Amino acid sequence: MDRLTSMAVFVKAVDVGSFAAAADALEMSGPMVGKHVRFLEERLGVRLLNRTTRRQSLTEAGQAYYERCRVVLGEAEAADAVVSDERSEPRGKLRVTVPALLGRHCIAPLLLKLARKYPRLELDLSFGDPIADIVEAGYDLAIRTGDLDDQSGLIARRIASQRMVVCGARSYLRANGKPKSLDDLAAHQAIIYRRSGRVRPWLFPQPDQSSREIMPSGRLRLDDMEAIADAAAQGMGLAWLPYWLVRERLDTGALVGLFAEQSEFLYDCHALWPRSPRLPTKVRAAVDTLAAGLPKLMT
């Protein structure tokens, strides 16, 4: 077996926590992952991993070997890049996880354009709102909006800001009146976005740089923003939604934007990728493409 390949398989198995997860990430069989690790153990004459049916853990020797393997693999990758044209043309599989709606409306069109430009780039997009562990799931890149959770082992770059707007249908405003101030929202039906059992407040910037929180009230609670936009367009209540999602409805008059004089709240949008000695060209190209194109779509 090739020692460098076996080292890469060993590092991936440690990073993702199991042989099965490493097999999925590397697109090889579970027994083949085990074969690579055993090759290293037999060659070194030490056990690198303690394995049971439920969990695995590094031995003391395995921990030291793992840390050195990461350095060796990073140097090998950097050496390859020096004598190849990888820096000038993205290539290979790029695995990206994105929020479902933002991904379909804004991110996928930009990344598909990148894939058309570079025929040797393979694009593997995963659309889903549940937050995936980027390293454990084997993703090269993740796009997230709002506050970031634990970023250990990750690099984050802000690439855009998501503008939020309050809107409603003309039929609703004719029947219930148009709110003239934020205080008036308490008298109106809101279509509430509920995610993971949690209702998020509507946020509005204030002159002192703080944000005013308004907890919406209403009889409709949905966990899909597209469905909220549809319900708002049908006159079921007011909604607080990303501009990119309702832009066409605002342009056609299906929805009316409110509080034009009020500053709109901005959710930061970040690109995150696993920390490594050298940023892969395919990841850099994707991040630069999104940083250039997303602000025009989101604000």
Side-chain angles (χ1 to χ4, degrees), residues 6-23 25-26 33-34 36-37 49 51 56-58 66 136:
S6 295
M7 291 168 69
V9 173
F10 167 65
V11 167
K12 178 61 71 174
V14 174
D15 286 343
V16 301
S18 72
F19 284 12
L26 297 171
V33 173
H36 279 288
V37 174
L49 286 168
R51 299 184 295 277
Q56 68 178 32
S57 61
L58 284 166
Y66 166 77
E136 182 176 342

Side-chain angles (χ1 to χ4, degrees), residues 254-275:
L255 288 173
V256 176
L258 303 174
F259 309 118
E261 73 289 347
Q262 167 70 46
S263 297
E264 294 155 334
F265 189 81
L266 300 176
Y267 275 114
D268 285 339
C269 180
H270 289 89
L272 300 99
W273 59 89
R275 190 181 300 274

Side-chain angles (χ1 to χ4, degrees), residues 32 50 241 280 291:
M32 181 57 70
N50 293 316
L241 292 167

Side-chain angles (χ1 to χ4, degrees), residues 148-291:
L148 297 177
D149 295 325
D150 181 22
Q151 300 175 49
S152 58
L154 300 175
I155 302 294
R157 174 182 170 185
R158 186 170 67 85
I159 54 176
S161 294
Q162 176 172 279
R163 168 184 162 199
M164 303 296 293
V165 297
V166 178
C167 53
R170 296 182 189 278
S171 60
Y172 175 87
L173 298 174
R174 283 195 299 267
N176 298 276
K178 185 176 182 179
K180 295 181 173 57
S181 70
L182 297 182
D183 292 330
D184 294 340
L185 288 174
H188 284 266
Q189 283 287 317
I191 306 171
I192 299 170
Y193 178 55
R194 175 184 52 77
R195 180 177 176 183
S196 300
R198 177 186 171 195
V199 174
R200 299 179 183 272
W202 296 5
L203 304 175
F204 301 91
Q206 300 298 297
D208 61 359
Q209 297 186 339
S210 64
S211 293
R212 179 176 177 182
E213 295 188 2
I214 294 180
M215 187 60 70
S217 62
R219 60 193 182 91
L220 296 183
R221 298 190 175 206
L222 310 176
D223 67 358
D224 182 89
M225 289 189 294
E226 188 99 62
I228 291 176
D230 291 340
Q234 294 173 31
M236 300 295 292
L238 303 180
W240 187 64
L241 292 167
Y243 170 73
W244 54 263
L245 181 61
V246 294
R247 178 176 54 239
E248 291 185 7
R249 293 177 174 92
L250 293 172
D251 291 342
T252 61
L255 288 173
V256 176
L258 303 174
F259 309 118
E261 73 289 347
Q262 167 70 46
S263 297
E264 294 155 334
F265 189 81
L266 300 176
Y267 275 114
D268 285 339
C269 180
H270 289 89
L272 300 99
W273 59 89
R275 190 181 300 274
S276 64
R278 184 181 64 84
L279 179 62
T281 302
K282 61 186 179 182
V283 176
R284 182 187 301 278
V287 173
D288 289 345
T289 295
L290 294 174

